Amino acid sequence: MIIYGKQLFLHLLEKHKEKIIKIYLAKECEKPLFSKIAKLGVKIERPDTKKAQALARGGNHQGFLAEVEPFVFGNLNELKKENFIVILYGLSDVGNIGAIVRTAHALGASGVIVVAKSLAMEGIIRTSSGAAYEIPICMVEDGLSLLNELKQVGFSVYGTASSGKNLSGFKFKPKVALVMGSEGDGMPKKAYEKCDECVGIKMKNSWDSLNVSAAFAIICDRIVNG
């Protein structure tokens, strides 16, 4: 798996250097930084522009790329012991997933569960600015069974929709599973029906909805700090 971009590269170098297999430097860097990189003891290559662009699949690598260990997903059974988890039900945009993962970690959620058959983890790691390495992420295919399992271990499941109860002043129960639906269609009807309650953000100006990552940030803050 290839990661790229200076900020993400430096994050791994600082906190997860054991995950780095090989480094690709496509530009010169300051001597103190190069010395730190060299101390890792992994192979360093200096690819030309064409190869660096190919490794980054056309992305903005800023001259810093690395081959890293395959991503290791979190343990669902361990997450069931926590008090606040986030469920992304059918989201597909890696930018939105990455932004939500970053916010979830920053605001104190215990983990993120993505209902999907596959995930482009390279993109999610990049768009989360490395936060995907700091918070447990699980992937499950059967979302309905997941919701049943969470309710059985004491979670209150909260769905999200513009028609939901006004978030302002809403009181969440101690063990929260927050479900965010897909970018276009929202939550599937069957998943919606399994929720204990549904919350929404009431807007002062007429608009259909907020971006899912922006909506999540608002709701997440209310859960943690409300």
Side-chain angles (χ1 to χ4, degrees):
M1 187 167 71
I2 300 293
I3 61 97
Y4 60 85
K6 188 173 182 179
Q7 182 181 2
L8 177 55
F9 179 89
L10 294 178
H11 180 81
L12 263 73
L13 184 64
E14 185 66 30
K15 293 192 173 185
H16 300 283
K17 54 181 177 286
E18 75 284 352
K19 298 183 185 298
I20 300 174
I21 298 171
K22 183 188 293 186
I23 289 171
Y24 300 91
L25 294 178
K27 62 184 290 185
E28 294 297 325
C29 61
E30 316 88 72
K31 287 185 179 179
L33 176 55
F34 182 79
S35 177
K36 192 172 184 178
I37 292 170
K39 285 180 181 178
L40 289 180
V42 302
K43 185 176 181 180
I44 300 173
E45 289 190 14
R46 292 190 174 276
D48 57 25
T49 301
K50 186 176 180 181
K51 182 175 180 180
Q53 283 298 103
L55 287 169
R57 298 179 184 177
N60 182 16
H61 55 74
Q62 300 172 297
F64 295 87
L65 309 95
E67 180 185 351
V68 298
E69 298 283 351
F71 185 80
V72 178
F73 287 99
N75 186 305
L76 181 58
N77 288 328
E78 289 301 314
L79 277 187
K80 289 179 182 178
K81 301 174 185 177
E82 301 294 343
N83 291 322
F84 175 27
I85 58 175
V86 182
I87 301 166
L88 306 183
Y89 209 117
L91 270 72
S92 58
D93 184 277
V94 295
N96 283 331
I97 296 174
I100 289 173
V101 166
R102 183 176 182 177
T103 300
H105 171 61
L107 293 185
S110 299
V112 177
I113 303 174
V114 185
V115 179
K117 292 183 178 180
S118 63
L119 285 173
M121 285 310 304
E122 294 96 331
I124 293 170
I125 291 168
R126 185 175 67 256
T127 56
S128 74
S129 297
Y133 285 121
E134 310 305 327
I135 183 171
I137 298 175
C138 298
M139 182 176 66
V140 301
E141 292 190 28
D142 188 345
L144 298 179
S145 293
L146 169 69
L147 298 182
N148 287 334
E149 290 176 29
L150 294 176
K151 294 174 82 167
Q152 287 170 6
V153 295
F155 278 94
S156 294
V157 178
Y158 296 92
T160 52
S162 58
S163 59
K165 293 183 179 179
N166 192 343
L167 184 65
S168 180
F170 187 87
K171 297 298 181 183
F172 291 89
K173 292 182 180 178
K175 204 168 172 69
V176 175
L178 177 67
V179 185
M180 304 298 297
S182 67
E183 296 88 345
D185 300 326
M187 293 176 56
K189 183 180 179 181
K190 288 185 177 180
Y192 183 89
E193 291 171 346
K194 286 190 177 293
C195 294
D196 296 298
E197 293 194 79
C198 191
V199 296
I201 301 168
K202 303 304 178 185
M203 292 173 280
K204 291 190 175 181
N205 295 313
S206 177
W207 201 254
D208 56 352
S209 65
L210 296 174
N211 171 275
V212 65
S213 63
F216 169 75
I218 294 170
I219 300 171
C220 185
D221 179 70
R222 297 285 176 85
I223 292 172
V224 174
N225 299 313

